[in-house]
C-alpha cells in the first residue's frame, strides 16, 4: 500500500503543480483585464469587461467532470493524448483559471481607492499603479486565493482520477471501490484530508505574516 500511495501521490503532484502555475498565470491576466476595464477601472471599457466577465461566469459554472469530457479533442490536440495525469493538466487549468481570476479581481478591487488616487497624483503610470500599488497591497488576499486554488485542484484531480487520470482519486476508485479494498479507500481519504489541512494551515500562516 505504501508503494501505491507514493506513486499515486506523485501522480497527483504532476497534475496539481503545473495546473496551479498555469491557472495562476492565466487567472492573473484575466483579473488584470477585468479590473482595468471595469466601470471604475483605469481604462474603462464596458464591451471588453462584459465579454470576459461572461466567459468567466460560464466556465465557472461548468461541472468539472463534464468539462473534462467536453474538451477531450482540445486536450488531445495540445497534449497528444486525453488519458493520464499529464493530459489532466489541461482541463484542470481551464477549470481553475476562472476561479483564480475572480479571487484576484476581488483582491485587487479591495485596495483602498485613496491609495490609487495618491499614486495617480504622483504621476504613476497605469502599469505602475497595477504592479507597484494594487498588486502589492493585495498580496495577502492573493496568497490566500492561491491556497484555495491548490486545495480545489486537489479535489478536481481526485475527480480526474475517477476518469482514468491517475493520482489518489484513481487509487481510491480502482482499489477501494472496484476491488472492495476498504482499507485503501480509507487511507486515501485520510491522506487527502491531511494534505488539504497542511496546505490550509501553511496558507493561513503566510497570510497572517504578510498582513502585518
Amino acid at each position: 500500500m505504501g508503494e501505491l500511495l507514493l506513486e499515486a501521490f506523485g501522480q497527483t503532484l504532476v497534475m496539481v503543480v503545473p495546473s496551479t502555475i498555469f491557472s495562476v498565470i492565466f487567472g492573473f491576466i484575466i483579473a488584470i483585464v477585468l479590473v482595468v476595464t471595469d466601470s471604475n477601472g483605469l481604462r474603462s471599457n464596458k464591451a471588453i469587461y462584459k465579454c470576459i466577465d461572461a466567459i468567466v461566469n460560464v466556465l465557472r459554472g461548468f461541472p468539472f467532470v463534464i468539462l473534462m469530457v467536453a474538451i477531450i479533442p482540445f486536450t488531445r490536440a495540445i497534449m497528444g493524448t486525453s488519458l493520464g495525469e499529464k493530459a489532466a493538466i489541461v482541463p484542470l487549468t481551464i477549470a481553475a483559471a476562472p476561479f483564480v481570476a475572480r479571487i484576484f479581481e476581488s483582491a485587487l478591487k479591495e485596495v483602498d481607492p485613496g491609495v490609487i488616487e495618491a499614486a495617480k497624483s504622483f504621476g504613476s503610470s497605469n502599469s505602475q499603479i497595477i504592479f507597484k500599488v494594487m498588486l502589492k497591497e493585495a498580496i495577502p488576499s492573493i496568497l490566500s486565493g492561491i491556497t484555495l486554488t491548490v486545495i480545489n485542484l486537489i479535489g478536481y484531480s481526485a475527480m480526474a482520477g475517477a476518469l482514468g487520470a491517475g493520482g489518489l482519486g484513481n487509487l481510491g476508485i480502482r482499489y477501494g471501490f472496484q476491488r472492495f479494498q476498504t482499507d485503501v479507500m480509507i487511507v486515501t481519504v485520510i491522506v487527502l484530508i491531511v494534505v488539504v489541512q497542511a496546505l490550509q494551515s501553511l496558507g493561513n500562516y503566510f497570510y497572517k505574516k504578510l498582513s502585518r
Side-chain angles (χ1 to χ4, degrees), residues 7 20 23-24 30 46 50 87 93 97 108 136 162 167 171 189 193:
E7 182 183 2
T20 299
S23 61
V24 166
I30 295 169
K46 196 181 236 183
K50 283 192 172 181
T93 300
L108 292 170
K136 186 177 179 180
L171 178 67
V189 171
I193 291 173

Side-chain angles (χ1 to χ4, degrees), residues 96-111:
F99 177 76
V100 174
R102 284 303 185 203
I103 291 177
F104 284 13
E105 180 191 10
S106 298
L108 292 170
K109 284 183 176 179
E110 286 174 1
V111 176

Side-chain angles (χ1 to χ4, degrees), residues 20-35 60 96-111 134-135 138-149:
T20 299
I21 294 170
F22 291 134
S23 61
V24 166
I25 292 171
F26 294 135
F28 178 71
I29 294 170
I30 295 169
I32 291 295
V33 175
L34 287 171
V35 170
R60 281 193 66 194
F99 177 76
V100 174
R102 284 303 185 203
I103 291 177
F104 284 13
E105 180 191 10
S106 298
L108 292 170
K109 284 183 176 179
E110 286 174 1
V111 176
M134 297 176 71
L135 184 59
I139 280 178
S141 296
I142 286 175
L143 179 62
S144 180
I146 292 174
T147 303
L148 288 175
T149 301

Side-chain angles (χ1 to χ4, degrees), residues 9-205:
F9 186 73
Q11 291 170 345
T12 297
L13 287 178
V14 168
M15 288 188 281
V16 172
V17 174
S19 56
T20 299
I21 294 170
F22 291 134
S23 61
V24 166
I25 292 171
F26 294 135
F28 178 71
I29 294 170
I30 295 169
I32 291 295
V33 175
L34 287 171
V35 170
V36 170
T37 59
D38 191 15
S39 57
N40 297 320
L42 298 172
R43 290 204 173 189
S44 179
N45 189 312
K46 196 181 236 183
I48 293 176
Y49 180 84
K50 283 192 172 181
C51 180
I52 297 177
D53 182 65
I55 293 171
V56 169
N57 288 337
V58 168
L59 290 175
R60 281 193 66 194
F62 235 94
F64 176 71
V65 174
I66 297 175
L67 174 67
M68 190 172 180
V69 174
I71 65 168
I72 282 177
F74 180 67
T75 302
R76 191 180 290 119
I78 293 178
M79 306 299 290
T81 180
S82 59
L83 300 174
E85 57 271 15
K86 290 183 180 179
I89 294 171
V90 175
L92 286 171
T93 300
I94 293 174
F99 177 76
V100 174
R102 284 303 185 203
I103 291 177
F104 284 13
E105 180 191 10
S106 298
L108 292 170
K109 284 183 176 179
E110 286 174 1
V111 176
D112 187 355
V115 177
I116 298 173
E117 289 301 321
K120 285 181 180 179
S121 67
F122 282 108
S124 299
S125 64
N126 287 341
S127 61
Q128 288 175 325
I129 292 173
I130 292 169
F131 293 101
K132 293 186 177 180
V133 178
M134 297 176 71
L135 184 59
K136 186 177 179 180
E137 291 289 323
I139 280 178
S141 296
I142 286 175
L143 179 62
S144 180
I146 292 174
T147 303
L148 288 175
T149 301
V150 176
I151 291 171
N152 278 343
L153 281 171
I154 291 173
Y156 287 156
S157 71
M159 285 189 277
L163 295 177
L168 291 168
N170 179 263
L171 178 67
I173 293 293
R174 189 155 46 100
Y175 286 88
F177 178 71
Q178 294 176 347
R179 300 187 184 184
F180 303 103
Q181 293 179 248
T182 309
D183 56 337
V184 177
M185 177 71 79
I186 292 172
V187 172
T188 302
V189 171
I190 291 173
V191 170
L192 285 169
I193 291 173
V194 169
V195 170
V196 167
Q197 288 294 329
L199 286 170
Q200 188 63 66
S201 298
L202 191 63
N204 291 342
Y205 171 78

